[in-house]
Amino acid sequence: MESRVGIVLVSHSDRLAGGLRDLLAQLGSGAAPVAVAGGTDDGGIGTSHDLIRAAIAEADQGAGVVVLPDIGSAVLTARLVLEDEPRADVVVVDAPFVEGAVAAVATANGGAALEAVVAAAREARTIPKFPS
C-alpha cells in the first residue's frame, strides 16, 4: 500500500475538527489519513499540545504531514509542538481551515508529495467561492 501525506486538523473545538473530518470523508476516497486535534485535554474549548502531537503520529504514514490550524492559539500551539519535536516532514500551513483542508485532502488522496499538498492548501486562499 502506498503511503499518503497525512492531514491534521487543529481546532479550538473538537466538534468543529470532527465535523470537518466527516465532510472530508464524504468528499474523498479516504486514502489520505485525516486526524483531528480539537479542543483541550479535558474536552473544553482551546488547544492541546498533547492532542496535536498524538494527531500528527496518527496521520503519519511516512510521506509527511500537513497541519492545518483554525485560528490564534491553534497556530501557536501547533508551532510549539514542532519546536519541541522538529521534523522536516511536518508542515504547519497558513491556509483557510475548510477550503485548505479540502484542497489538501484531494491532493493527498491522489498520491501527491508533501510539497504539492502544502501548495494546494495554500492556494485554496486564492480561489473565489463564486464568480464576480
Side-chain angles (χ1 to χ4, degrees), residues 3-8 56-57 59-67 82 85-93 113-115 117-118:
S3 66
R4 303 273 194 243
V5 172
I7 311 298
V8 172
I56 291 169
D60 188 4
Q61 290 187 345
V65 176
V66 168
V67 179
L82 294 181
E85 300 175 30
R87 290 182 53 182
D89 66 339
V90 178
V91 181
V92 179
V93 179
L114 178 61
E115 297 78 18
V117 177
V118 168

Side-chain angles (χ1 to χ4, degrees), residues 10-12 46-47 52 69-80 92:
V10 181
S11 175
H12 287 73
T47 58
I52 295 169
D70 59 6
I71 57 173
S73 66
V75 175
L76 177 63
T77 308
R79 286 180 165 176
L80 287 173
V92 179

Side-chain angles (χ1 to χ4, degrees), residues 15-104:
R15 291 177 62 189
L16 179 60
L20 180 52
R21 179 181 50 196
D22 292 346
L23 173 66
L24 296 170
Q26 292 296 313
L27 296 175
S29 67
V34 178
V36 299
T40 60
D41 295 331
D42 63 359
I45 298 294
T47 58
S48 163
H49 188 281
D50 291 339
L51 291 177
I52 295 169
R53 192 176 70 240
I56 291 169
E58 178 185 338
D60 188 4
Q61 290 187 345
V65 176
V66 168
V67 179
L68 292 163
D70 59 6
I71 57 173
S73 66
V75 175
L76 177 63
T77 308
R79 286 180 165 176
L80 287 173
V81 168
L82 294 181
E83 282 181 20
D84 291 346
E85 300 175 30
R87 290 182 53 182
D89 66 339
V90 178
V91 181
V92 179
V93 179
D94 181 7
F97 192 56
V98 174
E99 293 88 341
V102 169

